[in-house]
Amino acid sequence: MSKGRHQRYSQGYTQKSNTQVNHKKNKVHLAIISSLLFTPLFANAAEDAEINKTDLEVIHVTSQKRVQNILKVPITVSTVSADTLEESSAISLGDVDKFIPGFDFNDTSMTQGGISMRGISSPNISVGGDPSSATFYDDVYMPRAAQNVLFSDMARIEVLKGPQGTLFGRNAAMGVVSMVPNSPTAEFEGFIKATLGTDSLQRYEGMVNVSVTDNVYLRGNFLTNEQDGIVNNVTNSPWNEGTKVWDLGERAHSAARVALLWDISDVTNLQLSYDWDDLEQAPPMAIGISDYAYDNGNSYMGSTAENDVKNGVEARDMYGVTAKLNHEFSDQWSMKYVLSYRDWQTINRQDEDGTSDVSRYFDTSNNEDSDILYTELQINYVSNIINAVAGFSYSKEKVNQTTELNLTTDTYARLVTGDLNQQISDLSGGQIPAMDHMWNSSEWSDTLNMLGLGDAIMAAMGMAGAPLTADVVDATGNTTYDIVSTQLPGLANPGVPPGYLPAYLPNVFGPGYAGMAWQETVNNTGDFTNWGIFVDVDYAITDKWNVIAGLRYSQDSKDFTWHTPANSFATVPVNSVVAMQGGAQIPIDNALFDMVNYQASDSWDKVTGRLVTSYQVTDDDMFFASYSTGYKSGGYDSLGATADEKPHAFAPEDSTNYEVGYKGIWAEQVIANISAYYLTLDNLQKSVSSQRPDDEVAKPLIINVDKEITGIEFDLRWMATDSITLGVVSEVRSTDTKTPSYHNALGDLITAETQSVDASFNYTLTFDWMPDFGVGTTNFHLDYVYLENNNMSEPGLEAYKLAVPEYFLDTKNLNARISWANDNDNLKIGLWGKNLLDERHVVSFGDLTASILDTPYVRINRGIEMGVDIKYSF
């Protein structure tokens, strides 16, 4: 087999039309093809395609791990080309999801991004769980914190929807996203590019490809992206003096890649690559909507907020090394072997209260140090009637995660105040007013006097007969608090029935310890092993009718540990910490977690498969039907361990999908891709904020949810003229959800329910025009995105969410770009705009402290953006 054919197996190719057209017309057709590459019809097409309205060429793809005519690929697969990435100024998955029906990417956090496929998303900070859709980069599986990478010198992005367990295995219950970077070639080429825009956007990118020898090629690229935030952070907290305080939404991200391709022979090549990624930017934003936030929470859609998080940052330091070996045994047999190692460390320290109130300070930090070894062997067989692929994959992932919860002692004292208020209310039948904070001297003295403890406390301080007043509390500092925490049994009012107050209150401590740090941590480790074997056979019954059958066996094993030490304040030598009971020291209890030290192991396995049939009615029309199943292993809740209950593994996800579809070309002008599906997903692993009855505060909790989804997706492209292309990408989807009972972030019990959500209607309209002005090539691109909002259907909506109308707005996003390239096509200048209608809305809520501190917050989208880019190619 020829070297060219081998490259087609490993990279995919386009078979060009024989029609000859002039140079100018080629550019027009190239732009049209680029817009068409938004659609599933042209998945995996190479960038040098030519098209003629009367002679559409055959395009071959490798989306099913073998070379196939795209018109005979009976699955719903979408792709975004390199030209599209450039025309849309895209550098991440969140920039291109609008072009793909049924696909969404939440990139409010780069290290905790969330893929949504046909409405199913399972973002989770826990190292004990995985996303429901698998992400691959350069044929290598990418775990949670590694999946959101920059698009630097990318060939294309592929999105396969529906269960893909047969060919891709691990965690592909809902679909697969595959990012394909460019490989080295024999041709000398390169470019440098600068992009400048609003909010001080500065993006610089470059690439060079050279031949080291006549059979060794080297390709290197880099990209750096920086942009100011959209909300000024006006905090002046003393603990951030001399350190970087980020504005909300500020970005700083860089990436680079070096790849070496060695053509060992005409039938064998080896590629080695090194990827580097460095992220250090503002943490996910927290704009307070409470009375304690900036402007009493009334300016959450404005340009100013107060975030006093100490050393707040989102950072990731990551590198990966990959080897890919391709070999052809004969005209029928070939193989590909992939071996990769990736290592990363992340920090995500973010504000959880959205205020600068020291007595409501609460931040969390998710710190991870992980690595993964991934390898896959793929064997291909091709004959006149059979196109088969079989293989084996294996991954070994080791993770170390520390989840921090950081408070001030002022905040913890406020939590203690809440507990005291509840006890006192029970004692007095609600007759004694609640304290706002026990360090308020007048509230503290009034409460003690109402409890009948004032005289005894004054006597214990050697001032018998004098009244306990706020002035006395101020003058004596911690003394009254220490007496209450260590000597309460001797102070109890004889008229108080026993059992209303505890024998001691070790959590009570005075204002002399104000401003100190209170940190609690959960330390997790994980050792995860996954392996699978698969076979998939495409059999041509006739020249029009094909049947595909495939099976995969997957096995997952997970070893997990939890370790929760005492909080950092437990070693501070205050009287309340060393309160004595029976001669034993009593440390202050953890506010959120009990001291635990557990380990657990579990394993899961599953056989998944698919059965597909397709019929080519004409050369331009194909119908298909499919049945497929998917699987995501079970896992562990990293924050679920308590002293009384050892966590149990949550159940694996199982998906089943029935789908029918059509792909065709109408009147040699309209390209259509239409599919309808019915999908069931059992045991969706959903993360919610929950405050159970024994919890001091809300914590992330994994619950299992069942879903039934019915939907239609379609993508139509009309080549109206030689220079104008119109397109529409749309979906209609309805969902039935069965949710178990659970407590929400406010502690309210949400009963089990089955809920039907009316079909939501989302679409993207595109317009591409290439007028011929006689000088160079001009291209105008316009897209309009409409997403119907269904947040009102969330179960158990809290009152503070209902009070924010911007959370329930539909998305209406207009984007445009006009570019000009010279006749040599080596200089290109573009003007672009994003969100030109300046639509603003609330993206999500943070509710970890909503119940205990009354401090929920929101995240908002970036407004209008405009800029210019200049690219020089050589």
Side-chain angles (χ1 to χ4, degrees), residues 521-561:
T521 60
V522 179
N523 302 312
N524 302 119
T525 67
D527 192 340
F528 309 145
T529 303
N530 167 272
W531 64 271
I533 54 175
F534 64 93
V535 60
D536 196 69
V537 179
D538 185 344
Y539 180 75
I541 298 177
T542 69
D543 59 350
K544 293 180 178 291
W545 182 20
N546 281 60
V547 173
I548 301 175
L551 287 174
R552 185 186 192 102
Y553 173 78
S554 299
Q555 203 275 348
D556 287 90
S557 299
K558 294 187 176 183
D559 299 325
F560 207 69
T561 69

Short mmCIF file of all heavy atoms in Angstrom, two decimals, residues 521-561:
data_model
loop_
_atom_site.label_atom_id
_atom_site.label_comp_id
_atom_site.label_asym_id
_atom_site.label_seq_id
_atom_site.Cartn_x
_atom_site.Cartn_y
_atom_site.Cartn_z
N THR A 521 -9.82 20.41 55.65
CA THR A 521 -9.43 19.76 54.40
C THR A 521 -9.97 18.34 54.33
O THR A 521 -10.19 17.67 55.34
CB THR A 521 -7.89 19.71 54.25
OG1 THR A 521 -7.35 18.96 55.35
CG2 THR A 521 -7.30 21.10 54.23
N VAL A 522 -10.18 17.90 53.10
CA VAL A 522 -10.45 16.50 52.80
C VAL A 522 -9.40 16.07 51.80
O VAL A 522 -9.26 16.67 50.72
CB VAL A 522 -11.85 16.30 52.21
CG1 VAL A 522 -12.09 14.82 51.89
CG2 VAL A 522 -12.92 16.79 53.17
N ASN A 523 -8.63 15.07 52.15
CA ASN A 523 -7.57 14.56 51.28
C ASN A 523 -8.02 13.24 50.67
O ASN A 523 -8.38 12.30 51.39
CB ASN A 523 -6.28 14.35 52.08
CG ASN A 523 -5.81 15.64 52.74
OD1 ASN A 523 -5.76 16.68 52.11
ND2 ASN A 523 -5.49 15.56 54.03
N ASN A 524 -8.01 13.18 49.35
CA ASN A 524 -8.41 11.96 48.62
C ASN A 524 -7.26 11.48 47.75
O ASN A 524 -6.51 12.28 47.20
CB ASN A 524 -9.62 12.22 47.72
CG ASN A 524 -10.83 12.72 48.47
OD1 ASN A 524 -11.30 13.82 48.22
ND2 ASN A 524 -11.33 11.94 49.41
N THR A 525 -7.16 10.20 47.61
CA THR A 525 -6.28 9.60 46.61
C THR A 525 -7.09 8.61 45.80
O THR A 525 -8.06 8.02 46.29
CB THR A 525 -5.07 8.88 47.24
OG1 THR A 525 -5.52 7.74 47.97
CG2 THR A 525 -4.31 9.82 48.14
N GLY A 526 -6.69 8.43 44.57
CA GLY A 526 -7.37 7.47 43.71
C GLY A 526 -6.38 6.75 42.81
O GLY A 526 -5.42 7.35 42.33
N ASP A 527 -6.62 5.49 42.61
CA ASP A 527 -5.84 4.66 41.70
C ASP A 527 -6.84 3.96 40.80
O ASP A 527 -7.51 3.02 41.23
CB ASP A 527 -4.98 3.67 42.48
CG ASP A 527 -3.94 2.99 41.61
OD1 ASP A 527 -4.11 2.99 40.38
OD2 ASP A 527 -2.96 2.45 42.16
N PHE A 528 -6.96 4.42 39.56
CA PHE A 528 -8.03 3.98 38.67
C PHE A 528 -7.43 3.25 37.47
O PHE A 528 -6.54 3.76 36.80
CB PHE A 528 -8.86 5.16 38.18
CG PHE A 528 -9.35 6.07 39.27
CD1 PHE A 528 -9.45 7.44 39.07
CD2 PHE A 528 -9.71 5.56 40.51
CE1 PHE A 528 -9.91 8.28 40.06
CE2 PHE A 528 -10.17 6.39 41.52
CZ PHE A 528 -10.26 7.75 41.30
N THR A 529 -7.95 2.08 37.20
CA THR A 529 -7.51 1.28 36.06
C THR A 529 -8.69 0.97 35.16
O THR A 529 -9.76 0.57 35.63
CB THR A 529 -6.87 -0.04 36.53
OG1 THR A 529 -5.79 0.24 37.41
CG2 THR A 529 -6.37 -0.84 35.34
N ASN A 530 -8.50 1.19 33.88
CA ASN A 530 -9.54 0.88 32.90
C ASN A 530 -8.91 0.13 31.74
O ASN A 530 -7.82 0.48 31.27
CB ASN A 530 -10.20 2.16 32.38
CG ASN A 530 -11.06 1.91 31.14
OD1 ASN A 530 -10.56 1.96 30.01
ND2 ASN A 530 -12.33 1.63 31.34
N TRP A 531 -9.58 -0.93 31.29
CA TRP A 531 -9.13 -1.59 30.07
C TRP A 531 -10.35 -2.10 29.31
O TRP A 531 -11.42 -2.30 29.88
CB TRP A 531 -8.15 -2.72 30.34
CG TRP A 531 -8.69 -3.88 31.14
CD1 TRP A 531 -8.70 -4.02 32.49
CD2 TRP A 531 -9.28 -5.07 30.60
NE1 TRP A 531 -9.27 -5.22 32.84
CE2 TRP A 531 -9.63 -5.89 31.69
CE3 TRP A 531 -9.54 -5.53 29.31
CZ2 TRP A 531 -10.25 -7.13 31.54
CZ3 TRP A 531 -10.15 -6.77 29.15
CH2 TRP A 531 -10.49 -7.55 30.26
N GLY A 532 -10.17 -2.29 28.02
CA GLY A 532 -11.27 -2.77 27.20
C GLY A 532 -10.78 -3.38 25.91
O GLY A 532 -9.69 -3.07 25.42
N ILE A 533 -11.58 -4.26 25.36
CA ILE A 533 -11.33 -4.85 24.04
C ILE A 533 -12.57 -4.62 23.18
O ILE A 533 -13.69 -4.63 23.69
CB ILE A 533 -10.98 -6.35 24.12
CG1 ILE A 533 -12.08 -7.11 24.88
CG2 ILE A 533 -9.64 -6.56 24.78
CD1 ILE A 533 -11.87 -8.61 24.90
N PHE A 534 -12.36 -4.39 21.89
CA PHE A 534 -13.50 -4.07 21.04
C PHE A 534 -13.30 -4.62 19.64
O PHE A 534 -12.17 -4.84 19.19
CB PHE A 534 -13.71 -2.55 20.97
CG PHE A 534 -12.59 -1.79 20.33
CD1 PHE A 534 -12.60 -1.48 18.98
CD2 PHE A 534 -11.51 -1.35 21.09
CE1 PHE A 534 -11.57 -0.78 18.38
CE2 PHE A 534 -10.47 -0.64 20.51
CZ PHE A 534 -10.49 -0.35 19.16
N VAL A 535 -14.43 -4.81 18.96
CA VAL A 535 -14.43 -5.20 17.55
C VAL A 535 -15.68 -4.58 16.92
O VAL A 535 -16.74 -4.52 17.53
CB VAL A 535 -14.43 -6.73 17.38
CG1 VAL A 535 -15.65 -7.37 18.02
CG2 VAL A 535 -14.33 -7.11 15.90
N ASP A 536 -15.50 -4.08 15.69
CA ASP A 536 -16.60 -3.41 15.01
C ASP A 536 -16.47 -3.72 13.52
O ASP A 536 -15.41 -3.49 12.92
CB ASP A 536 -16.53 -1.90 15.25
CG ASP A 536 -17.81 -1.19 14.90
OD1 ASP A 536 -18.81 -1.39 15.61
OD2 ASP A 536 -17.81 -0.41 13.93
N VAL A 537 -17.52 -4.29 12.93
CA VAL A 537 -17.46 -4.77 11.55
C VAL A 537 -18.55 -4.08 10.73
O VAL A 537 -19.73 -4.11 11.09
CB VAL A 537 -17.64 -6.30 11.48
CG1 VAL A 537 -17.60 -6.76 10.02
CG2 VAL A 537 -16.57 -6.99 12.30
N ASP A 538 -18.13 -3.48 9.62
CA ASP A 538 -19.04 -2.88 8.65
C ASP A 538 -19.10 -3.82 7.45
O ASP A 538 -18.10 -4.02 6.75
CB ASP A 538 -18.51 -1.50 8.25
CG ASP A 538 -19.47 -0.75 7.32
OD1 ASP A 538 -20.36 -1.38 6.74
OD2 ASP A 538 -19.28 0.48 7.16
N TYR A 539 -20.28 -4.41 7.20
CA TYR A 539 -20.44 -5.41 6.14
C TYR A 539 -21.37 -4.87 5.07
O TYR A 539 -22.49 -4.43 5.36
CB TYR A 539 -21.00 -6.70 6.72
CG TYR A 539 -21.18 -7.80 5.69
CD1 TYR A 539 -20.08 -8.50 5.20
CD2 TYR A 539 -22.44 -8.13 5.23
CE1 TYR A 539 -20.24 -9.50 4.26
CE2 TYR A 539 -22.62 -9.13 4.29
CZ TYR A 539 -21.51 -9.81 3.81
OH TYR A 539 -21.67 -10.81 2.88
N ALA A 540 -20.90 -4.88 3.82
CA ALA A 540 -21.70 -4.42 2.70
C ALA A 540 -22.52 -5.59 2.14
O ALA A 540 -21.99 -6.47 1.46
CB ALA A 540 -20.80 -3.84 1.61
N ILE A 541 -23.81 -5.59 2.48
CA ILE A 541 -24.69 -6.65 1.98
C ILE A 541 -24.87 -6.50 0.48
O ILE A 541 -24.83 -7.48 -0.27
CB ILE A 541 -26.04 -6.59 2.73
CG1 ILE A 541 -25.81 -6.84 4.22
CG2 ILE A 541 -27.01 -7.62 2.15
CD1 ILE A 541 -27.07 -6.72 5.05
N THR A 542 -25.09 -5.26 0.05
CA THR A 542 -25.12 -4.94 -1.38
C THR A 542 -24.31 -3.65 -1.55
O THR A 542 -23.75 -3.13 -0.60
CB THR A 542 -26.56 -4.72 -1.88
OG1 THR A 542 -27.08 -3.51 -1.31
CG2 THR A 542 -27.46 -5.89 -1.50
N ASP A 543 -24.28 -3.14 -2.76
CA ASP A 543 -23.55 -1.90 -2.98
C ASP A 543 -24.29 -0.70 -2.39
O ASP A 543 -23.75 0.42 -2.35
CB ASP A 543 -23.27 -1.68 -4.46
CG ASP A 543 -24.56 -1.63 -5.29
OD1 ASP A 543 -25.64 -1.96 -4.75
OD2 ASP A 543 -24.48 -1.26 -6.48
N LYS A 544 -25.52 -0.90 -1.93
CA LYS A 544 -26.28 0.18 -1.32
C LYS A 544 -26.58 -0.05 0.17
O LYS A 544 -26.82 0.90 0.90
CB LYS A 544 -27.62 0.36 -2.06
CG LYS A 544 -27.48 0.86 -3.50
CD LYS A 544 -28.85 1.02 -4.14
CE LYS A 544 -28.75 1.56 -5.56
NZ LYS A 544 -28.30 2.97 -5.55
N TRP A 545 -26.58 -1.28 0.58
CA TRP A 545 -27.06 -1.63 1.92
C TRP A 545 -25.90 -2.14 2.77
O TRP A 545 -25.23 -3.09 2.39
CB TRP A 545 -28.17 -2.67 1.81
CG TRP A 545 -28.77 -3.08 3.13
CD1 TRP A 545 -28.74 -2.40 4.30
CD2 TRP A 545 -29.50 -4.28 3.37
NE1 TRP A 545 -29.40 -3.08 5.28
CE2 TRP A 545 -29.90 -4.25 4.72
CE3 TRP A 545 -29.88 -5.37 2.58
CZ2 TRP A 545 -30.64 -5.28 5.31
CZ3 TRP A 545 -30.63 -6.40 3.16
CH2 TRP A 545 -30.99 -6.34 4.51
N ASN A 546 -25.66 -1.46 3.89
CA ASN A 546 -24.60 -1.85 4.81
C ASN A 546 -25.16 -2.12 6.20
O ASN A 546 -26.15 -1.50 6.61
CB ASN A 546 -23.55 -0.75 4.93
CG ASN A 546 -22.58 -0.74 3.77
OD1 ASN A 546 -22.99 -0.57 2.62
ND2 ASN A 546 -21.30 -0.92 4.07
N VAL A 547 -24.50 -3.02 6.91
CA VAL A 547 -24.84 -3.32 8.29
C VAL A 547 -23.56 -3.27 9.12
O VAL A 547 -22.51 -3.80 8.70
CB VAL A 547 -25.52 -4.70 8.44
CG1 VAL A 547 -25.71 -5.05 9.92
CG2 VAL A 547 -26.85 -4.73 7.72
N ILE A 548 -23.64 -2.63 10.26
CA ILE A 548 -22.50 -2.55 11.18
C ILE A 548 -22.90 -3.18 12.50
O ILE A 548 -23.97 -2.90 13.04
CB ILE A 548 -22.07 -1.09 11.43
CG1 ILE A 548 -21.68 -0.41 10.12
CG2 ILE A 548 -20.91 -1.03 12.42
CD1 ILE A 548 -21.35 1.07 10.28
N ALA A 549 -22.01 -4.01 13.03
CA ALA A 549 -22.22 -4.60 14.35
C ALA A 549 -20.92 -4.50 15.14
O ALA A 549 -19.83 -4.74 14.59
CB ALA A 549 -22.65 -6.07 14.22
N GLY A 550 -21.04 -4.11 16.40
CA GLY A 550 -19.84 -3.96 17.21
C GLY A 550 -20.11 -4.28 18.67
O GLY A 550 -21.23 -4.12 19.17
N LEU A 551 -19.05 -4.74 19.36
CA LEU A 551 -19.13 -5.03 20.78
C LEU A 551 -17.86 -4.54 21.47
O LEU A 551 -16.78 -4.51 20.87
CB LEU A 551 -19.29 -6.53 21.03
CG LEU A 551 -20.63 -7.19 20.72
CD1 LEU A 551 -20.52 -8.69 20.90
CD2 LEU A 551 -21.73 -6.61 21.60
N ARG A 552 -17.99 -4.18 22.73
CA ARG A 552 -16.84 -3.81 23.54
C ARG A 552 -17.06 -4.31 24.96
O ARG A 552 -18.16 -4.19 25.51
CB ARG A 552 -16.63 -2.30 23.56
CG ARG A 552 -15.35 -1.90 24.32
CD ARG A 552 -15.23 -0.39 24.44
NE ARG A 552 -13.90 -0.01 24.90
CZ ARG A 552 -12.94 0.46 24.13
NH1 ARG A 552 -13.16 0.62 22.84
NH2 ARG A 552 -11.76 0.77 24.62
N TYR A 553 -16.01 -4.86 25.53
CA TYR A 553 -16.02 -5.20 26.95
C TYR A 553 -15.12 -4.22 27.68
O TYR A 553 -13.96 -4.02 27.31
CB TYR A 553 -15.51 -6.63 27.18
CG TYR A 553 -15.35 -6.96 28.66
CD1 TYR A 553 -16.46 -7.28 29.44
CD2 TYR A 553 -14.10 -6.92 29.26
CE1 TYR A 553 -16.32 -7.56 30.80
CE2 TYR A 553 -13.95 -7.20 30.61
CZ TYR A 553 -15.06 -7.51 31.37
OH TYR A 553 -14.92 -7.79 32.71
N SER A 554 -15.68 -3.54 28.71
CA SER A 554 -14.93 -2.56 29.49
C SER A 554 -14.90 -3.00 30.95
O SER A 554 -15.89 -3.52 31.48
CB SER A 554 -15.58 -1.18 29.41
OG SER A 554 -15.61 -0.69 28.09
N GLN A 555 -13.76 -2.76 31.59
CA GLN A 555 -13.60 -3.09 33.00
C GLN A 555 -12.91 -1.94 33.71
O GLN A 555 -11.88 -1.43 33.24
CB GLN A 555 -12.79 -4.38 33.16
CG GLN A 555 -13.01 -5.12 34.47
CD GLN A 555 -12.14 -4.63 35.62
OE1 GLN A 555 -11.20 -3.88 35.42
NE2 GLN A 555 -12.46 -5.07 36.82
N ASP A 556 -13.50 -1.47 34.82
CA ASP A 556 -12.96 -0.37 35.60
C ASP A 556 -12.75 -0.83 37.03
O ASP A 556 -13.64 -1.45 37.64
CB ASP A 556 -13.91 0.83 35.61
CG ASP A 556 -13.93 1.56 34.29
OD1 ASP A 556 -14.76 1.20 33.43
OD2 ASP A 556 -13.13 2.50 34.13
N SER A 557 -11.59 -0.50 37.58
CA SER A 557 -11.30 -0.74 39.00
C SER A 557 -10.85 0.56 39.62
O SER A 557 -10.03 1.29 39.04
CB SER A 557 -10.20 -1.80 39.16
OG SER A 557 -10.59 -3.03 38.60
N LYS A 558 -11.39 0.87 40.83
CA LYS A 558 -11.05 2.11 41.50
C LYS A 558 -10.73 1.85 42.97
O LYS A 558 -11.54 1.23 43.69
CB LYS A 558 -12.20 3.13 41.38
CG LYS A 558 -12.45 3.60 39.96
CD LYS A 558 -13.47 4.72 39.90
CE LYS A 558 -13.63 5.23 38.47
NZ LYS A 558 -14.56 6.38 38.37
N ASP A 559 -9.57 2.30 43.38
CA ASP A 559 -9.17 2.31 44.79
C ASP A 559 -9.19 3.76 45.25
O ASP A 559 -8.58 4.63 44.61
CB ASP A 559 -7.77 1.72 44.97
CG ASP A 559 -7.69 0.28 44.52
OD1 ASP A 559 -8.68 -0.45 44.71
OD2 ASP A 559 -6.64 -0.11 43.97
N PHE A 560 -9.84 4.01 46.38
CA PHE A 560 -10.08 5.39 46.81
C PHE A 560 -9.85 5.52 48.31
O PHE A 560 -10.11 4.58 49.07
CB PHE A 560 -11.52 5.79 46.47
CG PHE A 560 -11.71 7.26 46.26
CD1 PHE A 560 -11.17 7.90 45.17
CD2 PHE A 560 -12.46 8.02 47.16
CE1 PHE A 560 -11.36 9.26 44.96
CE2 PHE A 560 -12.66 9.36 46.97
CZ PHE A 560 -12.10 9.99 45.86
N THR A 561 -9.35 6.68 48.71
CA THR A 561 -9.15 6.93 50.15
C THR A 561 -9.69 8.30 50.52
O THR A 561 -9.76 9.21 49.69
CB THR A 561 -7.66 6.87 50.55
OG1 THR A 561 -6.97 8.01 49.98
CG2 THR A 561 -7.00 5.58 50.09
#
